Amino acid sequence: QVLVESLGRYQAQLQGETPEAQFLWDNASKSDAKPIDENKFADHVKTHLEKDLKHRGIVLNREVRIHRGERTDIQVNAIIHTASAESYDSITVIIECKGCWNPGLHDAMRDQLVGRYLKDNRCQHGLYLVGWFNCVKWSGRDRRKNQALRLCPNIDDTRHKLTASAANLSKDLIRVRSVVLDASLR
């Protein structure tokens, strides 16, 4: 919940009075604007979360190896009091970041986040984060644009579908949430 709230603040910054979404684009002020890649998107998200949550004792890392050959986009660790409040425990959340053009957009929450990263892992909490970039300023020369329009033409429908998927995947001890950030240019 803390991460979702922080990403809500990030969303407000992305589309606020002085919109920061422009920093998630290459050539944002020109006719050939295109979104940054997923790795740079994850870097921006991590930087925001770090600034926003550092004072709460939350530690964020990029590309953490959890299984041989598998690295998370962002791993979040927080120290919490146990029920007795006499000792501490840690809680971990794995964040998987996708751009709205990713061909596996509607399967990666199940196959990658839950099926690989949360499987056989002490971490049982996942956040599926999608950057939604669809807008008229996105250059038609960028092949990702048509893919994004096919996969998720409407941000509200995309949010609804991914929220439903996250609810369906939250079983037993596994807890998954999804967030779709509007990173479009005005």
Side-chain angles (χ1 to χ4, degrees):
Q1 186 61 34
V2 169
L3 293 171
V4 172
E5 289 169 5
S6 179
L7 290 169
R9 290 186 289 277
Y10 187 48
Q11 178 64 79
Q13 293 170 353
L14 289 175
Q15 297 299 327
E17 183 178 340
T18 307
E20 292 185 16
Q22 65 183 319
F23 302 118
L24 300 178
W25 289 78
D26 290 327
N27 300 322
S29 62
K30 299 180 181 171
S31 62
D32 62 338
K34 61 181 184 176
I36 59 174
D37 65 33
E38 287 178 346
N39 281 320
K40 289 179 184 174
F41 173 61
D43 289 342
H44 278 268
V45 170
K46 183 216 177 230
T47 298
H48 161 77
L49 291 171
E50 213 163 41
K51 289 177 186 174
D52 194 51
L53 299 174
K54 190 174 187 177
H55 68 281
R56 296 183 74 168
I58 294 174
V59 179
L60 293 108
N61 292 291
R62 283 274 288 127
E63 307 242 346
V64 175
R65 179 180 165 185
I66 54 169
H67 301 297
R68 184 175 298 276
E70 293 187 326
R71 296 180 186 274
T72 64
D73 285 336
I74 303 171
Q75 183 168 308
V76 183
N77 296 296
I79 304 300
I80 57 172
H81 284 284
T82 60
S84 69
E86 294 177 11
S87 62
Y88 295 93
D89 197 2
S90 66
I91 186 167
T92 301
V93 178
I94 293 173
I95 301 176
E96 179 59 28
C97 299
K98 295 289 184 215
C100 60
W101 59 84
N102 189 299
L105 182 73
H106 294 290
D107 300 321
M109 185 188 316
R110 178 193 66 229
D111 298 343
Q112 188 176 7
L113 181 59
V114 175
R116 291 184 7 223
Y117 297 163
L118 300 181
K119 185 178 181 181
D120 301 325
N121 188 349
R122 186 171 166 243
C123 174
Q124 300 293 286
H125 304 280
L127 181 73
Y128 192 67
L129 180 63
V130 173
W132 191 83
F133 292 85
N134 293 348
C135 64
V136 295
K137 290 189 176 185
W138 190 348
S139 172
R141 293 185 299 229
D142 184 351
R143 62 175 175 72
R144 299 175 299 169
K145 182 177 183 176
N146 287 334
Q147 179 82 358
L149 291 171
R150 279 193 307 277
L151 288 170
C152 51
N154 179 293
I155 193 169
D156 293 328
D157 289 344
T158 302
R159 284 178 173 149
H160 178 72
K161 286 178 188 176
L162 294 176
T163 297
S165 292
N168 288 335
L169 292 168
S170 294
K171 296 179 179 154
D172 301 321
L173 297 176
I174 301 282
R175 295 290 168 257
V176 181
R177 300 277 299 264
S178 74
V179 172
V180 178
L181 291 174
D182 182 354
S184 64
L185 295 172
R186 294 185 196 163

